[in-house]
Amino acid sequence: MTTWNEYVSERGTIPEWPYPIRYEKESRISADVLIVGGGVAGCHAAISAARSGASVVLAETGHAKRSGSGGAGVDHWHGACTNPCSKVTPLDYTQAVMECAHGYSNGIARYIICSEGWDTLLECEEMGVQIRDVRDEFKGADFRDEETKLMFAYDYANRHVIRIWGYDIKPRLFYEMQRLGVRIYNRTVIMSLLTDEGRQGARVVGATGVNMRTGEFYVFESKATIVASGGGGRLFSFAPEVTAAGSMSNMNGAGVGHAIGWNAGAEFVLMEQTTPGRLTGFGYAPYSMGNTSNTYHGTSIVDANGKEVPWADPYGRQLKTVEERFLPSPGQRFQLGIGIGLHYYLDQYRLNDLSRELIEGIQKGEYVLPLYADLTRLPESERRCIFGMMVGNEGKTRIPIYDTFTKGGFDPDKDLLQAPVMLPESYQNSNFWGGSPIPSLRSLAGGGYLVDWDLRTSLEGLYAAGGSPVFGSGCHGESHTTGRYTGRKAAAYAKTAGKRAVDPRQVEAQKARAYAPLKQSKKGAGWKELNVAIARIMQDYCGKYKNRLTLGRGLDLLAQLRENEAASAYASNPHELGRTLECLSLITLGEMVMEASLARECSSVYLDFYRLDCPQMDPPEWEKLLPMRLEDDAVKLRDLPLDFHLRPPYAPTYEENYERHAR
Ligand SMILES: Cc1cc2nc3c(=O)[nH]c(=O)nc-3n(C[C@H](O)[C@H](O)[C@H](O)COP(=O)(O)OP(=O)(O)OC[C@H]3O[C@@H](n4cnc5c(N)ncnc54)[C@H](O)[C@@H]3O)c2cc1C
């Protein structure tokens, strides 16, 4: 292997750009359905649309075989309510989530996810993903059903979250797309939507994009378009060189999918909701440190003297056995898992956890830091399942954690895994590897396109899928499932919709915008500087506590950034060009969050939203969604009841709406 320094000193020059440069070359690609983003949602949408008979093209910034937050794997699949062992119905689960969120979530998406999440997982099994303990490695374990060989996580009594061997789930989807003839444009950043006659608020008829290796300009013409581009992990924090940066999102998550819809005139809701950026990358590598959350749920935690931290149920009652950690308590019908895009849990659905007395105990010296995860205190099957099956299949863990630790000699049968040493209050969240939360770091949480029961946005021809584009939805299985649903809905629309030509003036304007950074002075800012500046503005002016003045100032600063540093930003190759275009979208995304924050003139515990100038907490008159959109480039707002999805023109029940729309 040659190092960078060796290369330069041997040849006296840096390497040439390794791909052919094709700036200004324009290619036209037509399809019934265009998919923006090839994470699990986008890939499953492509498969579903292609199986419905549509011609499909998918554009992906990375490489669809491994791209996105789920590209490296998954170990548990939420919302599989119709699996043969589940004791929770889609309605139970949906209502529980909506109750916890106090209505600030997406009943439509949740009901769809719970109704067909299991079918979607079965489809993955058909594609070759292992979802059962076929080798009988865990025969007899509490979390296993002997007949189906399915294995469950979190709540072993109610069995709606399934443990899976998902390290290869993304390649499996990729091969299926190839088999179905989906045309895949990897290394392509979509940068705008095209609308009928170029009008804001009109039907979406395609998109433009740039190849990040060649610089070629693409014009995609489509009858239906699905945005499945994930979230905007780079909005509040940006430090890609830091270990674990972007740990629970991905570098390509720049909110472009939101920004292009906003510019096209689509309606968005809940963009004001942000949560602590606990997992945004300044902690340890995902799942690498002792903790007892998520994949490690149920793990025993001991202090430096080997004293075990007790577990308690959500009502504060201490649990006596390990087995009880995985069971609902008296007063609970069932427990919901975490990581499903839900910020607030009512006790009746909350998971068991470490006793809340831990923090005080650390302060009083009753527990001595550092803490350790002690897997030896678990039954053997549980221990092998967590450090083995789950850590071996979870995203970003198979090689960095399981393989590295095992080769380094870590043996869960006898070794302890140290937890990070943090401020005592940081131990209130059992996901310790995220590190001490940094107060100014937030992350998007729940905001996205307002969708109807077809998962169609407010614009004709434009659909949404996956965590983030679809407001109020979140995790891995959910993203597959909304992708699968929206793929067939978009395909059905495309069958009846006529093809509309793209507007040549809109295309030309986008092309000029795309190439502007190549034509600037080399003294212009680079994309990394731009990204840091955006993140800094968001941290300072749109952090946990905000008021009208800070938000107004933040909007001014974002506007100035766009007019000055962004307008003169310089890109020296197609990769930098794509990243610079992403930063322009990030500015828009920041504006959306600030505009939505200005619109909500109250504080809300359910939204983790605090306006210092409007301190009243959840006043009844503000219990509503506030859809916002651009009309003639001005922000327009309206009110929408939290249960809009069960009011006319929709039917009054989840079941009826699903029956009407799903098939
Ligand atoms: C380490 C880790 C572990 C996790 N474990 C679990 C788990 O066990 N269970 C669970 O339920 N969830 C888990 N999650 C969450 C889950 O992986 C995500 O919710 C899910 O993968 C989201 O999928 P998505 O397709 O909606 O979005 P993403 O994965 O974000 O995919 C979006 C795709 O769009 C592409 N893109 C973005 N912008 C553009 C553009 N402008 N043009 C073209 N393409 C674009 C991106 O490159 C990306 O590939 C985990 C996440 C991480 C990071």
Side-chain angles (χ1 to χ4, degrees):
M1 192 181 75
T2 310
T3 68
W4 182 259
N5 283 350
E6 284 164 352
Y7 185 98
V8 174
S9 57
E10 275 165 26
R11 308 193 188 198
T13 177
I14 59 169
E16 276 182 26
W17 186 249
Y19 309 101
I21 292 286
R22 300 198 187 106
Y23 294 141
E24 302 290 342
K25 178 172 188 292
E26 183 178 312
S27 296
R28 296 244 163 176
I29 303 114
S30 284
D32 292 332
V33 178
L34 163 68
I35 293 161
V36 179
V40 294
C43 292
H44 223 123
I47 290 166
S48 159
R51 286 181 180 174
S52 304
S55 63
V56 182
V57 63
L58 179 143
E60 162 57 45
T61 307
H63 192 296
K65 190 170 171 184
R66 280 289 184 192
S67 63
S69 298
V74 54
D75 65 359
H76 59 286
W77 181 284
H78 289 273
C81 295
T82 57
N83 85 74
C85 308
S86 166
K87 300 210 176 79
V88 177
T89 68
L91 189 61
D92 294 335
Y93 191 109
T94 304
Q95 286 176 336
V97 168
M98 294 304 277
E99 266 179 57
C100 287
H102 204 68
Y104 294 109
S105 189
N106 190 335
I108 298 174
R110 203 66 67 163
Y111 192 78
I112 290 170
I113 287 159
C114 296
S115 300
E116 46 187 88
W118 166 243
D119 298 336
T120 310
L121 184 58
L122 287 176
E123 264 185 26
C124 293
E125 185 179 34
E126 277 165 27
M127 291 177 216
V129 179
Q130 186 187 339
I131 70 163
R132 300 167 207 268
D133 180 22
V134 284
R135 285 186 288 275
D136 292 331
E137 289 174 79
F138 297 97
K139 212 169 178 176
D142 288 355
F143 48 79
R144 184 182 191 264
D145 174 63
E146 295 306 317
E147 201 180 324
T148 60
K149 303 191 179 193
L150 291 172
M151 307 214 312
F152 302 95
Y154 296 124
D155 179 343
Y156 295 169
N158 291 292
R159 306 190 155 197
H160 52 86
V161 188
I162 299 183
R163 284 168 155 157
I164 64 168
W165 288 253
Y167 76 98
D168 63 348
I169 198 163
K170 200 70 204 311
R172 300 278 172 188
L173 292 175
F174 181 76
Y175 299 137
E176 182 63 6
M177 285 198 295
Q178 284 187 321
R179 196 185 67 78
L180 290 165
V182 173
R183 283 168 290 158
I184 302 168
Y185 282 74
N186 287 316
R187 317 293 179 196
T188 298
V189 60
I190 292 292
M191 53 166 291
S192 75
L193 291 175
L194 297 169
T195 51
D196 200 9
E197 295 177 352
R199 283 179 295 116
Q200 204 167 49
R203 179 181 156 192
V204 170
V205 294
T208 61
V210 169
N211 186 299
M212 288 177 70
R213 290 192 163 168
T214 64
E216 186 171 339
F217 186 73
Y218 296 130
V219 179
F220 295 97
E221 300 169 319
S222 56
K223 292 181 181 167
T225 301
I226 299 173
V227 175
S229 49
R234 279 163 41 196
L235 183 61
F236 280 87
S237 74
F238 181 63
E241 284 84 6
V242 173
T243 311
S247 60
M248 290 307 278
S249 61
N250 83 87
M251 263 292 295
N252 296 331
V256 181
H258 290 64
I260 58 178
W262 177 246
N263 288 332
E267 276 193 311
F268 284 79
V269 287
L270 292 181
M271 293 303 293
E272 66 273 32
Q273 186 178 13
T274 61
T275 48
R278 172 175 281 281
L279 302 173
T280 45
F282 292 91
Y284 286 85
Y287 309 90
S288 63
M289 297 293 280
N291 76 105
T292 182
S293 175
N294 191 283
T295 288
Y296 285 89
H297 179 72
T299 299
S300 300
I301 298 291
V302 297
D303 81 349
N305 297 323
K307 180 175 168 186
E308 183 160 350
V309 181
W311 274 69
D313 76 4
Y315 306 101
R317 294 179 288 230
Q318 251 188 47
L319 304 178
K320 294 189 184 70
T321 63
V322 168
E323 289 70 29
E324 285 173 289
R325 296 174 191 174
F326 304 97
L327 295 171
S329 288
Q332 288 192 301
R333 160 84 175 74
F334 61 93
Q335 296 184 337
L336 287 165
I338 58 157
I340 53 170
L342 194 53
H343 153 69
Y344 191 91
Y345 286 78
L346 295 172
D347 284 346
Q348 64 260 37
Y349 301 113
R350 198 189 297 275
L351 289 174
N352 305 313
D353 208 339
L354 293 176
S355 163
R356 290 177 198 166
E357 286 149 25
L358 170 62
I359 295 170
E360 215 186 313
I362 294 172
Q363 281 158 341
K364 285 186 182 159
E366 290 164 9
Y367 295 104
V368 179
L369 299 181
L371 303 181
Y372 294 86
D374 185 354
L375 291 153
T376 68
R377 297 185 187 223
L378 300 180
E380 201 217 340
S381 57
E382 197 70 63
R383 176 165 64 248
R384 278 195 295 119
C385 187
I386 291 176
F387 200 88
M389 186 262 166
M390 291 187 83
V391 177
N393 284 279
E394 176 58 303
K396 307 188 183 180
T397 57
R398 191 178 186 85
I399 306 301
I401 312 303
Y402 184 73
D403 207 48
T404 309
F405 282 25
T406 304
K407 283 182 183 151
F410 176 75
D411 180 353
D413 289 343
K414 48 180 204 277
D415 296 324
L416 306 184
L417 200 53
Q418 193 198 307
V421 179
M422 306 186 285
L423 300 174
E425 56 269 29
S426 303
Y427 293 97
Q428 72 188 2
N429 187 317
S430 50
N431 208 338
F432 302 152
W433 52 261
S436 274
I438 302 170
S440 53
L441 286 193
R442 308 286 291 172
S443 49
L444 293 184
Y449 285 88
L450 178 64
V451 287
D452 65 12
W453 272 97
D454 286 340
L455 297 186
R456 203 200 88 168
T457 72
S458 61
L459 298 185
E460 188 182 346
L462 185 65
Y463 295 75
S468 219
V470 177
F471 87 93
S473 72
C475 63
H476 192 111
E478 295 187 345
S479 301
H480 279 263
T481 309
T482 52
R484 175 176 180 264
Y485 184 94
T486 213
R488 66 179 191 264
K489 299 307 296 187
Y493 167 79
K495 267 188 196 147
T496 57
K499 190 179 166 202
R500 297 282 296 171
V502 298
D503 180 57
R505 283 161 309 168
Q506 196 176 28
V507 171
E508 272 322 300
Q510 289 305 329
K511 197 168 176 182
R513 190 169 82 95
Y515 290 129
L518 298 170
K519 297 172 183 156
Q520 302 299 337
S521 151
K522 290 181 186 172
K523 291 181 185 156
W527 72 273
K528 288 190 180 181
E529 287 79 20
L530 266 188
N531 206 144
V532 169
I534 296 163
R536 190 59 205 247
I537 294 171
M538 294 307 294
Q539 289 167 22
D540 288 358
Y541 296 92
C542 195
K544 179 168 178 182
Y545 298 103
K546 332 169 217 284
N547 69 28
R548 178 163 288 281
L549 287 178
T550 62
L551 291 167
R553 183 80 189 111
L555 281 169
D556 286 347
L557 285 169
L558 286 176
Q560 285 170 24
L561 194 67
R562 175 185 278 116
E563 283 159 26
N564 299 305
E565 289 82 357
S568 59
Y570 173 69
S572 66
N573 60 49
H575 178 82
E576 289 181 7
L577 180 61
R579 293 287 186 226
T580 311
L581 295 172
E582 287 176 340
C583 287
L584 302 183
S585 286
L586 271 179
I587 295 177
T588 305
L589 183 67
E591 288 169 338
M592 293 168 73
V593 176
M594 292 209 199
E595 290 287 0
S597 303
L598 273 173
R600 186 167 292 281
E601 293 176 356
C602 72
S603 295
S604 170
V605 70
Y606 302 105
L607 295 173
D608 203 18
F609 180 78
Y610 306 99
R611 280 277 303 257
L612 293 169
D613 53 342
C614 308
Q616 207 185 350
M617 206 58 80
D618 292 299
E621 67 273 21
W622 281 97
E623 295 194 338
K624 57 191 174 188
L625 298 172
L626 301 166
M628 57 172 204
R629 72 193 154 90
L630 283 183
E631 187 181 300
D632 298 328
D633 285 329
V635 177
K636 296 277 175 201
L637 287 161
R638 68 183 174 109
D639 292 355
L640 191 67
L642 293 175
D643 62 349
F644 79 96
H645 53 287
L646 300 177
R647 293 185 185 214
Y650 307 122
T653 66
Y654 284 102
E655 295 92 329
E656 281 172 89
N657 284 306
Y658 182 71
E659 267 314 304
R660 275 187 205 175
H661 290 264
R663 313 285 164 215

